[in-house]
Amino acid sequence: MMSKAIGKTTFAWLPKVIYGTSSLGNLYKEMSFADKLAIIRACVQHAEGMAVFDTAGKYGAGLSLESIGAGLKQLNVDPSTVLISNKLGWYRIPLETEEPTFEPGVWKGLRYDAEQRISYAGILSCFYQGNQLLGDYPAQLVSVHDPDEYLAKASDQADEDQRYQDILEAYRALNELKDQGKVLAVGVGSKSWKVIQRIVQDVELDWVMIANSLTLHDHPAELLEFIAKLAAANIAVINSAVFNGGFLVGSDYYNYQLVNRESVEGETLYKWREQFWEICEKFAVKPAEACFAYGFGIDGVKAVALNTSRAEKVKDNVAMVNRVIPMEFWDELAVSGII
């Protein structure tokens, strides 16, 4: 069962659940290839229509890309039945330090490092390296990954202006790939929705991926207004990290940062989660189901990207699309100040 079309394009249909693959890059913990293969097999088996994998060179310094390509090949999956979204901007390089230099402490057991390359030439190098790692399953959806992080590294206003030009040049390269028929659609993936808002004003995009920003815990009114504008412009929105990096469903990481229970902010987060879980238990609603329903139920959101490190969870993730949650549950969340 396919779902809503991707942006302005008519070449494919987007399932309601897209498979996030950061776990295949050893996010938080090292995984065996056998476990990764089981996840990929489950994703293909339970896909509603085409299986769409969302990945990035940043995920394990290319390890996620490598795992997807090798796994799909070992399973003898027809390339025409899967669609790969590769968020570009991070390039695999040799590991010369004890641990990777990007996002230290987050990725485990890596044999490579990665560096950010956002420019016309840089984004093309990421694209071709990514396809090399994917093997027989080249990316068809491409985007600039973490432009917000790239801008945040600016030393002054002049440097930020130059970095923004680098981002625009990267998009010039991606749109050339689209014009040449090498990719199907161009988008953006960012944890800062305001950076997406800025880019949309200067670049014609087919889709955007909002990460860590549009969740049951965090959903600013101005972001909801922006989503509505994107929908009106026929730009597809994919909601990602609807569990705030796993914290809302049990992880100790909020948006990929370890939460300090002893801090005021950390204590507030844990208290919020405890209250949220109590209401979930009262109505027999799983926290993950509530997070998915909220993140997908926003007008303008076409799909949700869900990541898991357990193959047996894939079926449950896909099934959340059809989970009906009673209105009384949402009413109690509202009355309790949870949402």
Side-chain angles (χ1 to χ4, degrees):
M1 182 177 66
M2 290 294 199
S3 185
K4 310 159 187 178
I6 303 174
K8 303 177 180 62
T9 60
T10 56
F11 52 80
W13 293 86
L14 195 64
K16 296 174 182 177
V17 173
I18 290 173
Y19 300 123
T21 62
S22 53
S23 64
L24 303 184
N26 290 355
L27 178 69
Y28 302 144
K29 66 178 182 179
E30 188 170 0
M31 293 177 60
S32 69
F33 180 71
D35 287 341
K36 295 176 184 180
L37 186 65
I39 291 172
I40 295 169
R41 180 186 290 111
C43 289
V44 173
Q45 178 183 352
H46 296 293
E48 294 188 336
M50 182 171 287
V52 180
F53 293 88
D54 174 67
T55 187
K58 189 180 188 181
Y59 294 169
L63 180 59
S64 175
L65 293 160
E66 212 167 32
S67 300
I68 293 169
L72 290 172
K73 185 172 184 178
Q74 186 163 324
L75 295 171
N76 197 31
V77 175
D78 184 343
S80 68
T81 65
V82 299
L83 197 64
I84 308 296
S85 169
N86 189 7
K87 300 192 294 291
L88 305 166
W90 291 87
Y91 188 87
R92 171 184 279 188
I93 60 174
L95 181 63
E96 298 178 344
T97 51
E98 190 170 329
E99 68 172 343
T101 56
F102 70 104
E103 294 184 335
V106 174
W107 307 96
K108 307 299 182 180
L110 301 190
R111 296 183 293 112
Y112 295 92
D113 203 349
E115 64 180 12
Q116 200 165 37
R117 294 188 179 182
I118 295 182
S119 64
Y120 180 90
I123 216 74
L124 289 176
S125 67
C126 293
F127 172 72
Y128 289 112
Q129 183 187 68
N131 280 352
Q132 183 179 25
L133 294 173
L134 286 165
D136 296 335
Y137 303 86
Q140 291 297 309
L141 307 182
V142 294
S143 57
V144 174
H145 196 196
D146 295 335
D148 50 334
E149 291 185 18
Y150 187 67
L151 291 173
K153 293 176 183 176
S155 57
D156 53 32
Q157 187 59 52
D159 188 23
E160 183 185 271
D161 292 344
Q162 180 56 58
R163 285 172 177 266
Y164 189 67
Q165 286 304 310
D166 292 341
I167 292 170
L168 296 182
E169 281 297 291
Y171 274 110
R172 183 167 70 87
L174 294 185
N175 279 309
E176 286 180 2
L177 291 176
K178 181 181 175 182
D179 292 341
Q180 294 163 7
K182 294 180 179 179
V183 301
L184 296 176
V186 174
V188 62
S190 172
K191 297 181 186 70
S192 170
W193 66 269
K194 291 190 176 181
V195 169
I196 294 177
Q197 190 178 45
R198 180 181 180 184
I199 290 172
V200 165
Q201 295 175 355
D202 295 316
V203 180
E204 185 174 350
L205 299 177
D206 299 304
W207 57 276
V208 305
M209 176 173 279
I210 307 286
N212 296 331
S213 304
L214 192 58
T215 71
L216 193 148
H217 179 257
D218 186 20
H219 44 269
E222 54 184 338
L223 173 55
L224 298 176
E225 293 173 5
F226 176 53
I227 297 298
K229 290 179 181 178
L230 291 174
N234 201 26
I235 298 174
V237 176
I238 301 170
N239 199 358
S240 175
V242 294
F243 309 135
N244 285 113
F247 183 82
L248 303 192
V249 292
S251 168
D252 291 322
Y253 289 81
Y254 184 90
N255 293 350
Y256 311 110
Q257 298 293 322
L258 185 63
V259 179
N260 179 7
R261 283 179 178 266
E262 306 303 320
S263 69
V264 174
E265 183 181 18
E267 183 182 7
T268 301
L269 278 173
Y270 276 100
K271 185 176 180 180
W272 182 96
R273 187 173 75 178
E274 182 180 347
Q275 189 177 9
F276 168 52
W277 284 2
E278 286 176 355
I279 297 173
C280 286
E281 184 176 5
K282 177 180 177 180
F283 287 88
V285 173
K286 295 177 182 178
E289 293 173 337
C291 292
F292 177 89
Y294 185 88
F296 182 67
I298 295 166
D299 287 342
V301 172
K302 308 298 184 185
V304 173
L306 294 177
N307 177 60
T308 183
S309 59
R310 296 163 54 196
E312 63 271 19
K313 291 294 293 181
V314 173
K315 182 179 180 180
D316 293 339
N317 284 347
V318 175
M320 286 194 293
V321 169
N322 300 313
R323 174 69 158 97
V324 178
I325 297 178
M327 184 57 66
E328 292 79 8
F329 170 78
W330 302 112
D331 291 340
E332 183 141 348
L333 288 184
V335 170
S336 302
I338 295 294
I339 58 174

mmCIF file of all heavy atoms in Angstrom, residues 280-326:
data_model
loop_
_atom_site.group_PDB
_atom_site.id
_atom_site.type_symbol
_atom_site.label_atom_id
_atom_site.label_comp_id
_atom_site.label_asym_id
_atom_site.label_seq_id
_atom_site.Cartn_x
_atom_site.Cartn_y
_atom_site.Cartn_z
ATOM 1 N N CYS A 280 0.428 6.995 29.320
ATOM 2 C CA CYS A 280 0.438 5.930 28.312
ATOM 3 C C CYS A 280 -0.027 4.611 28.924
ATOM 4 O O CYS A 280 -0.848 3.883 28.344
ATOM 5 C CB CYS A 280 1.843 5.766 27.730
ATOM 6 S SG CYS A 280 2.342 7.071 26.592
ATOM 7 N N GLU A 281 0.498 4.303 30.109
ATOM 8 C CA GLU A 281 0.128 3.050 30.775
ATOM 9 C C GLU A 281 -1.360 3.039 31.120
ATOM 10 O O GLU A 281 -2.037 2.013 30.972
ATOM 11 C CB GLU A 281 0.969 2.874 32.041
ATOM 12 C CG GLU A 281 0.731 1.547 32.748
ATOM 13 C CD GLU A 281 1.639 1.338 33.935
ATOM 14 O OE1 GLU A 281 2.395 2.271 34.279
ATOM 15 O OE2 GLU A 281 1.597 0.246 34.538
ATOM 16 N N LYS A 282 -1.871 4.148 31.559
ATOM 17 C CA LYS A 282 -3.289 4.252 31.927
ATOM 18 C C LYS A 282 -4.195 3.903 30.761
ATOM 19 O O LYS A 282 -5.231 3.248 30.930
ATOM 20 C CB LYS A 282 -3.578 5.665 32.429
ATOM 21 C CG LYS A 282 -5.041 5.912 32.783
ATOM 22 C CD LYS A 282 -5.245 7.337 33.278
ATOM 23 C CE LYS A 282 -6.711 7.629 33.574
ATOM 24 N NZ LYS A 282 -6.909 9.018 34.066
ATOM 25 N N PHE A 283 -3.799 4.326 29.542
ATOM 26 C CA PHE A 283 -4.644 4.099 28.362
ATOM 27 C C PHE A 283 -4.156 2.929 27.507
ATOM 28 O O PHE A 283 -4.664 2.721 26.401
ATOM 29 C CB PHE A 283 -4.702 5.372 27.515
ATOM 30 C CG PHE A 283 -5.531 6.469 28.121
ATOM 31 C CD1 PHE A 283 -4.971 7.389 28.995
ATOM 32 C CD2 PHE A 283 -6.886 6.569 27.831
ATOM 33 C CE1 PHE A 283 -5.732 8.400 29.554
ATOM 34 C CE2 PHE A 283 -7.654 7.583 28.381
ATOM 35 C CZ PHE A 283 -7.080 8.496 29.259
ATOM 36 N N ALA A 284 -3.180 2.174 28.015
ATOM 37 C CA ALA A 284 -2.624 1.023 27.281
ATOM 38 C C ALA A 284 -2.099 1.445 25.904
ATOM 39 O O ALA A 284 -2.289 0.745 24.898
ATOM 40 C CB ALA A 284 -3.663 -0.082 27.137
ATOM 41 N N VAL A 285 -1.449 2.596 25.881
ATOM 42 C CA VAL A 285 -0.827 3.108 24.658
ATOM 43 C C VAL A 285 0.683 3.060 24.847
ATOM 44 O O VAL A 285 1.200 3.559 25.850
ATOM 45 C CB VAL A 285 -1.273 4.558 24.377
ATOM 46 C CG1 VAL A 285 -0.491 5.142 23.194
ATOM 47 C CG2 VAL A 285 -2.765 4.616 24.101
ATOM 48 N N LYS A 286 1.384 2.465 23.920
ATOM 49 C CA LYS A 286 2.835 2.435 24.004
ATOM 50 C C LYS A 286 3.388 3.838 23.720
ATOM 51 O O LYS A 286 2.874 4.538 22.836
ATOM 52 C CB LYS A 286 3.414 1.448 22.992
ATOM 53 C CG LYS A 286 3.038 -0.003 23.259
ATOM 54 C CD LYS A 286 3.596 -0.908 22.173
ATOM 55 C CE LYS A 286 3.180 -2.355 22.404
ATOM 56 N NZ LYS A 286 3.684 -3.239 21.319
ATOM 57 N N PRO A 287 4.424 4.264 24.465
ATOM 58 C CA PRO A 287 5.003 5.585 24.202
ATOM 59 C C PRO A 287 5.391 5.785 22.741
ATOM 60 O O PRO A 287 5.181 6.870 22.182
ATOM 61 C CB PRO A 287 6.227 5.616 25.116
ATOM 62 C CG PRO A 287 5.844 4.737 26.264
ATOM 63 C CD PRO A 287 5.040 3.629 25.643
ATOM 64 N N ALA A 288 5.930 4.752 22.119
ATOM 65 C CA ALA A 288 6.322 4.865 20.706
ATOM 66 C C ALA A 288 5.113 5.114 19.820
ATOM 67 O O ALA A 288 5.179 5.896 18.862
ATOM 68 C CB ALA A 288 7.055 3.598 20.258
ATOM 69 N N GLU A 289 4.003 4.468 20.134
ATOM 70 C CA GLU A 289 2.780 4.665 19.348
ATOM 71 C C GLU A 289 2.282 6.097 19.460
ATOM 72 O O GLU A 289 1.855 6.697 18.458
ATOM 73 C CB GLU A 289 1.701 3.695 19.828
ATOM 74 C CG GLU A 289 2.006 2.233 19.552
ATOM 75 C CD GLU A 289 0.999 1.289 20.183
ATOM 76 O OE1 GLU A 289 0.330 1.687 21.169
ATOM 77 O OE2 GLU A 289 0.877 0.150 19.696
ATOM 78 N N ALA A 290 2.337 6.638 20.659
ATOM 79 C CA ALA A 290 1.893 8.017 20.864
ATOM 80 C C ALA A 290 2.793 8.990 20.110
ATOM 81 O O ALA A 290 2.310 9.934 19.463
ATOM 82 C CB ALA A 290 1.883 8.349 22.351
ATOM 83 N N CYS A 291 4.104 8.760 20.187
ATOM 84 C CA CYS A 291 5.056 9.652 19.501
ATOM 85 C C CYS A 291 4.868 9.603 17.998
ATOM 86 O O CYS A 291 4.898 10.634 17.316
ATOM 87 C CB CYS A 291 6.488 9.265 19.864
ATOM 88 S SG CYS A 291 6.921 9.573 21.586
ATOM 89 N N PHE A 292 4.666 8.402 17.475
ATOM 90 C CA PHE A 292 4.461 8.265 16.031
ATOM 91 C C PHE A 292 3.161 8.945 15.605
ATOM 92 O O PHE A 292 3.139 9.700 14.628
ATOM 93 C CB PHE A 292 4.425 6.797 15.614
ATOM 94 C CG PHE A 292 4.145 6.597 14.149
ATOM 95 C CD1 PHE A 292 5.184 6.561 13.237
ATOM 96 C CD2 PHE A 292 2.845 6.496 13.679
ATOM 97 C CE1 PHE A 292 4.932 6.411 11.873
ATOM 98 C CE2 PHE A 292 2.579 6.337 12.323
ATOM 99 C CZ PHE A 292 3.627 6.294 11.426
ATOM 100 N N ALA A 293 2.086 8.656 16.341
ATOM 101 C CA ALA A 293 0.780 9.214 15.969
ATOM 102 C C ALA A 293 0.805 10.724 15.971
ATOM 103 O O ALA A 293 0.244 11.373 15.070
ATOM 104 C CB ALA A 293 -0.294 8.695 16.927
ATOM 105 N N TYR A 294 1.467 11.304 16.955
ATOM 106 C CA TYR A 294 1.546 12.761 16.998
ATOM 107 C C TYR A 294 2.389 13.287 15.831
ATOM 108 O O TYR A 294 1.975 14.210 15.128
ATOM 109 C CB TYR A 294 2.147 13.243 18.321
ATOM 110 C CG TYR A 294 2.119 14.753 18.424
ATOM 111 C CD1 TYR A 294 1.008 15.399 18.947
ATOM 112 C CD2 TYR A 294 3.170 15.531 17.947
ATOM 113 C CE1 TYR A 294 0.949 16.779 18.996
ATOM 114 C CE2 TYR A 294 3.121 16.912 17.991
ATOM 115 C CZ TYR A 294 2.012 17.531 18.521
ATOM 116 O OH TYR A 294 1.952 18.895 18.547
ATOM 117 N N GLY A 295 3.555 12.699 15.628
ATOM 118 C CA GLY A 295 4.460 13.179 14.586
ATOM 119 C C GLY A 295 3.927 13.012 13.186
ATOM 120 O O GLY A 295 4.215 13.820 12.299
ATOM 121 N N PHE A 296 3.113 11.965 12.966
ATOM 122 C CA PHE A 296 2.554 11.725 11.635
ATOM 123 C C PHE A 296 1.238 12.467 11.429
ATOM 124 O O PHE A 296 0.863 12.774 10.303
ATOM 125 C CB PHE A 296 2.332 10.225 11.421
ATOM 126 C CG PHE A 296 1.810 9.878 10.060
ATOM 127 C CD1 PHE A 296 2.598 10.057 8.929
ATOM 128 C CD2 PHE A 296 0.523 9.403 9.891
ATOM 129 C CE1 PHE A 296 2.127 9.752 7.663
ATOM 130 C CE2 PHE A 296 0.034 9.086 8.629
ATOM 131 C CZ PHE A 296 0.844 9.264 7.516
ATOM 132 N N GLY A 297 0.545 12.771 12.536
ATOM 133 C CA GLY A 297 -0.782 13.364 12.426
ATOM 134 C C GLY A 297 -0.800 14.843 12.116
ATOM 135 O O GLY A 297 -1.873 15.427 11.931
ATOM 136 N N ILE A 298 0.364 15.458 12.047
ATOM 137 C CA ILE A 298 0.438 16.898 11.755
ATOM 138 C C ILE A 298 0.186 17.135 10.271
ATOM 139 O O ILE A 298 0.790 16.478 9.412
ATOM 140 C CB ILE A 298 1.815 17.444 12.160
ATOM 141 C CG1 ILE A 298 1.986 17.325 13.681
ATOM 142 C CG2 ILE A 298 1.995 18.889 11.707
ATOM 143 C CD1 ILE A 298 3.394 17.519 14.147
ATOM 144 N N ASP A 299 -0.703 18.056 9.961
ATOM 145 C CA ASP A 299 -1.019 18.365 8.568
ATOM 146 C C ASP A 299 0.241 18.761 7.814
ATOM 147 O O ASP A 299 0.993 19.636 8.255
ATOM 148 C CB ASP A 299 -2.040 19.502 8.496
ATOM 149 C CG ASP A 299 -3.430 19.063 8.916
ATOM 150 O OD1 ASP A 299 -3.684 17.852 8.927
ATOM 151 O OD2 ASP A 299 -4.259 19.945 9.245
ATOM 152 N N GLY A 300 0.467 18.132 6.675
ATOM 153 C CA GLY A 300 1.641 18.424 5.859
ATOM 154 C C GLY A 300 2.717 17.367 5.959
ATOM 155 O O GLY A 300 3.577 17.267 5.077
ATOM 156 N N VAL A 301 2.703 16.567 7.013
ATOM 157 C CA VAL A 301 3.688 15.490 7.158
ATOM 158 C C VAL A 301 3.245 14.299 6.318
ATOM 159 O O VAL A 301 2.132 13.794 6.479
ATOM 160 C CB VAL A 301 3.849 15.078 8.634
ATOM 161 C CG1 VAL A 301 4.724 13.834 8.754
ATOM 162 C CG2 VAL A 301 4.447 16.223 9.448
ATOM 163 N N LYS A 302 4.110 13.862 5.405
ATOM 164 C CA LYS A 302 3.782 12.773 4.493
ATOM 165 C C LYS A 302 4.268 11.422 4.985
ATOM 166 O O LYS A 302 3.727 10.382 4.631
ATOM 167 C CB LYS A 302 4.397 13.041 3.105
ATOM 168 C CG LYS A 302 4.072 14.396 2.514
ATOM 169 C CD LYS A 302 2.595 14.583 2.295
ATOM 170 C CE LYS A 302 2.297 15.915 1.620
ATOM 171 N NZ LYS A 302 0.850 16.177 1.503
ATOM 172 N N ALA A 303 5.349 11.430 5.783
ATOM 173 C CA ALA A 303 5.925 10.177 6.247
ATOM 174 C C ALA A 303 6.749 10.428 7.492
ATOM 175 O O ALA A 303 7.137 11.566 7.786
ATOM 176 C CB ALA A 303 6.794 9.550 5.154
ATOM 177 N N VAL A 304 6.998 9.359 8.230
ATOM 178 C CA VAL A 304 7.852 9.426 9.414
ATOM 179 C C VAL A 304 8.997 8.437 9.232
ATOM 180 O O VAL A 304 8.778 7.294 8.823
ATOM 181 C CB VAL A 304 7.066 9.096 10.696
ATOM 182 C CG1 VAL A 304 8.001 8.995 11.899
ATOM 183 C CG2 VAL A 304 5.988 10.142 10.943
ATOM 184 N N ALA A 305 10.207 8.891 9.514
ATOM 185 C CA ALA A 305 11.371 8.010 9.464
ATOM 186 C C ALA A 305 11.579 7.398 10.843
ATOM 187 O O ALA A 305 11.697 8.120 11.835
ATOM 188 C CB ALA A 305 12.613 8.793 9.036
ATOM 189 N N LEU A 306 11.582 6.072 10.906
ATOM 190 C CA LEU A 306 11.748 5.361 12.168
ATOM 191 C C LEU A 306 12.993 4.487 12.105
ATOM 192 O O LEU A 306 13.199 3.741 11.146
ATOM 193 C CB LEU A 306 10.523 4.481 12.459
ATOM 194 C CG LEU A 306 9.198 5.221 12.713
ATOM 195 C CD1 LEU A 306 8.077 4.213 12.913
ATOM 196 C CD2 LEU A 306 9.302 6.135 13.924
ATOM 197 N N ASN A 307 13.794 4.581 13.145
ATOM 198 C CA ASN A 307 15.030 3.811 13.226
ATOM 199 C C ASN A 307 14.912 2.800 14.355
ATOM 200 O O ASN A 307 14.291 3.076 15.385
ATOM 201 C CB ASN A 307 16.204 4.757 13.487
ATOM 202 C CG ASN A 307 17.510 4.018 13.665
ATOM 203 O OD1 ASN A 307 17.961 3.308 12.775
ATOM 204 N ND2 ASN A 307 18.123 4.159 14.833
ATOM 205 N N THR A 308 15.489 1.624 14.177
ATOM 206 C CA THR A 308 15.519 0.639 15.240
ATOM 207 C C THR A 308 16.800 -0.173 15.165
ATOM 208 O O THR A 308 17.391 -0.322 14.089
ATOM 209 C CB THR A 308 14.308 -0.316 15.180
ATOM 210 O OG1 THR A 308 14.359 -1.221 16.296
ATOM 211 C CG2 THR A 308 14.308 -1.128 13.896
ATOM 212 N N SER A 309 17.238 -0.673 16.309
ATOM 213 C CA SER A 309 18.406 -1.557 16.350
ATOM 214 C C SER A 309 17.978 -3.002 16.584
ATOM 215 O O SER A 309 18.809 -3.868 16.813
ATOM 216 C CB SER A 309 19.360 -1.112 17.476
ATOM 217 O OG SER A 309 18.697 -1.131 18.733
ATOM 218 N N ARG A 310 16.670 -3.260 16.499
ATOM 219 C CA ARG A 310 16.143 -4.610 16.723
ATOM 220 C C ARG A 310 15.216 -4.997 15.576
ATOM 221 O O ARG A 310 14.209 -4.332 15.311
ATOM 222 C CB ARG A 310 15.394 -4.659 18.045
ATOM 223 C CG ARG A 310 16.266 -4.398 19.262
ATOM 224 C CD ARG A 310 15.433 -4.057 20.490
ATOM 225 N NE ARG A 310 14.422 -5.066 20.753
ATOM 226 C CZ ARG A 310 13.373 -4.873 21.568
ATOM 227 N NH1 ARG A 310 13.213 -3.694 22.149
ATOM 228 N NH2 ARG A 310 12.509 -5.841 21.773
ATOM 229 N N ALA A 311 15.545 -6.087 14.917
ATOM 230 C CA ALA A 311 14.774 -6.527 13.754
ATOM 231 C C ALA A 311 13.310 -6.788 14.089
ATOM 232 O O ALA A 311 12.414 -6.492 13.291
ATOM 233 C CB ALA A 311 15.406 -7.795 13.161
ATOM 234 N N GLU A 312 13.049 -7.318 15.286
ATOM 235 C CA GLU A 312 11.678 -7.658 15.653
ATOM 236 C C GLU A 312 10.793 -6.423 15.832
ATOM 237 O O GLU A 312 9.562 -6.527 15.853
ATOM 238 C CB GLU A 312 11.653 -8.502 16.926
ATOM 239 C CG GLU A 312 12.184 -7.820 18.175
ATOM 240 C CD GLU A 312 13.676 -7.985 18.382
ATOM 241 O OE1 GLU A 312 14.383 -8.309 17.402
ATOM 242 O OE2 GLU A 312 14.135 -7.793 19.516
ATOM 243 N N LYS A 313 11.410 -5.239 15.943
ATOM 244 C CA LYS A 313 10.640 -4.010 16.121
ATOM 245 C C LYS A 313 10.146 -3.422 14.802
ATOM 246 O O LYS A 313 9.271 -2.555 14.794
ATOM 247 C CB LYS A 313 11.495 -2.969 16.850
ATOM 248 C CG LYS A 313 11.792 -3.305 18.299
ATOM 249 C CD LYS A 313 10.535 -3.286 19.153
ATOM 250 C CE LYS A 313 9.959 -1.896 19.282
ATOM 251 N NZ LYS A 313 8.739 -1.872 20.135
ATOM 252 N N VAL A 314 10.715 -3.863 13.688
ATOM 253 C CA VAL A 314 10.353 -3.287 12.390
ATOM 254 C C VAL A 314 8.872 -3.479 12.108
ATOM 255 O O VAL A 314 8.163 -2.542 11.710
ATOM 256 C CB VAL A 314 11.206 -3.900 11.262
ATOM 257 C CG1 VAL A 314 10.701 -3.425 9.893
ATOM 258 C CG2 VAL A 314 12.669 -3.537 11.441
ATOM 259 N N LYS A 315 8.381 -4.686 12.312
ATOM 260 C CA LYS A 315 6.960 -4.968 12.063
ATOM 261 C C LYS A 315 6.081 -4.075 12.923
ATOM 262 O O LYS A 315 5.077 -3.527 12.449
ATOM 263 C CB LYS A 315 6.666 -6.440 12.345
ATOM 264 C CG LYS A 315 5.216 -6.840 12.069
ATOM 265 C CD LYS A 315 4.998 -8.320 12.349
ATOM 266 C CE LYS A 315 3.547 -8.726 12.075
ATOM 267 N NZ LYS A 315 3.328 -10.170 12.352
ATOM 268 N N ASP A 316 6.448 -3.913 14.201
ATOM 269 C CA ASP A 316 5.673 -3.058 15.104
ATOM 270 C C ASP A 316 5.693 -1.606 14.643
ATOM 271 O O ASP A 316 4.679 -0.901 14.732
ATOM 272 C CB ASP A 316 6.235 -3.143 16.523
ATOM 273 C CG ASP A 316 6.038 -4.525 17.146
ATOM 274 O OD1 ASP A 316 5.163 -5.262 16.671
ATOM 275 O OD2 ASP A 316 6.777 -4.846 18.093
ATOM 276 N N ASN A 317 6.855 -1.153 14.146
ATOM 277 C CA ASN A 317 6.968 0.231 13.668
ATOM 278 C C ASN A 317 6.020 0.485 12.508
ATOM 279 O O ASN A 317 5.335 1.513 12.453
ATOM 280 C CB ASN A 317 8.408 0.527 13.248
ATOM 281 C CG ASN A 317 9.330 0.741 14.438
ATOM 282 O OD1 ASN A 317 8.870 0.899 15.571
ATOM 283 N ND2 ASN A 317 10.624 0.751 14.184
ATOM 284 N N VAL A 318 5.985 -0.441 11.563
ATOM 285 C CA VAL A 318 5.106 -0.280 10.404
ATOM 286 C C VAL A 318 3.642 -0.335 10.825
ATOM 287 O O VAL A 318 2.792 0.413 10.310
ATOM 288 C CB VAL A 318 5.419 -1.352 9.338
ATOM 289 C CG1 VAL A 318 4.422 -1.273 8.188
ATOM 290 C CG2 VAL A 318 6.840 -1.185 8.805
ATOM 291 N N ALA A 319 3.348 -1.182 11.799
ATOM 292 C CA ALA A 319 1.962 -1.347 12.249
ATOM 293 C C ALA A 319 1.436 -0.106 12.960
ATOM 294 O O ALA A 319 0.207 0.083 13.055
ATOM 295 C CB ALA A 319 1.858 -2.559 13.173
ATOM 296 N N MET A 320 2.334 0.744 13.469
ATOM 297 C CA MET A 320 1.881 1.937 14.181
ATOM 298 C C MET A 320 1.056 2.865 13.306
ATOM 299 O O MET A 320 0.288 3.688 13.807
ATOM 300 C CB MET A 320 3.076 2.684 14.780
ATOM 301 C CG MET A 320 3.665 2.000 15.996
ATOM 302 S SD MET A 320 4.791 3.048 16.960
ATOM 303 C CE MET A 320 6.157 3.254 15.831
ATOM 304 N N VAL A 321 1.218 2.746 11.999
ATOM 305 C CA VAL A 321 0.440 3.568 11.062
ATOM 306 C C VAL A 321 -1.058 3.373 11.289
ATOM 307 O O VAL A 321 -1.843 4.318 11.183
ATOM 308 C CB VAL A 321 0.812 3.199 9.609
ATOM 309 C CG1 VAL A 321 -0.160 3.843 8.635
ATOM 310 C CG2 VAL A 321 2.233 3.625 9.298
ATOM 311 N N ASN A 322 -1.452 2.149 11.613
ATOM 312 C CA ASN A 322 -2.874 1.823 11.732
ATOM 313 C C ASN A 322 -3.367 1.796 13.180
ATOM 314 O O ASN A 322 -4.516 1.418 13.432
ATOM 315 C CB ASN A 322 -3.136 0.464 11.078
ATOM 316 C CG ASN A 322 -2.779 0.464 9.597
ATOM 317 O OD1 ASN A 322 -3.143 1.379 8.867
ATOM 318 N ND2 ASN A 322 -2.051 -0.554 9.165
ATOM 319 N N ARG A 323 -2.529 2.198 14.114
ATOM 320 C CA ARG A 323 -2.934 2.196 15.529
ATOM 321 C C ARG A 323 -3.882 3.364 15.791
ATOM 322 O O ARG A 323 -3.563 4.529 15.524
ATOM 323 C CB ARG A 323 -1.701 2.323 16.417
ATOM 324 C CG ARG A 323 -1.988 2.472 17.908
ATOM 325 C CD ARG A 323 -2.554 1.189 18.509
ATOM 326 N NE ARG A 323 -2.356 1.135 19.953
ATOM 327 C CZ ARG A 323 -3.279 1.486 20.856
ATOM 328 N NH1 ARG A 323 -4.452 1.940 20.462
ATOM 329 N NH2 ARG A 323 -2.997 1.380 22.150
ATOM 330 N N VAL A 324 -5.062 3.065 16.301
ATOM 331 C CA VAL A 324 -6.042 4.102 16.631
ATOM 332 C C VAL A 324 -5.921 4.413 18.126
ATOM 333 O O VAL A 324 -6.090 3.534 18.965
ATOM 334 C CB VAL A 324 -7.475 3.645 16.307
ATOM 335 C CG1 VAL A 324 -8.476 4.724 16.711
ATOM 336 C CG2 VAL A 324 -7.596 3.328 14.818
ATOM 337 N N ILE A 325 -5.617 5.647 18.440
ATOM 338 C CA ILE A 325 -5.427 6.063 19.826
ATOM 339 C C ILE A 325 -6.642 6.882 20.259
ATOM 340 O O ILE A 325 -7.044 7.817 19.561
ATOM 341 C CB ILE A 325 -4.134 6.885 19.971
ATOM 342 C CG1 ILE A 325 -2.924 5.994 19.618
ATOM 343 C CG2 ILE A 325 -3.995 7.445 21.387
ATOM 344 C CD1 ILE A 325 -1.594 6.705 19.667
ATOM 345 N N PRO A 326 -7.232 6.533 21.398
ATOM 346 C CA PRO A 326 -8.458 7.228 21.821
ATOM 347 C C PRO A 326 -8.244 8.714 22.087
ATOM 348 O O PRO A 326 -7.189 9.122 22.577
ATOM 349 C CB PRO A 326 -8.846 6.487 23.112
ATOM 350 C CG PRO A 326 -7.585 5.848 23.596
ATOM 351 C CD PRO A 326 -6.815 5.492 22.356
#
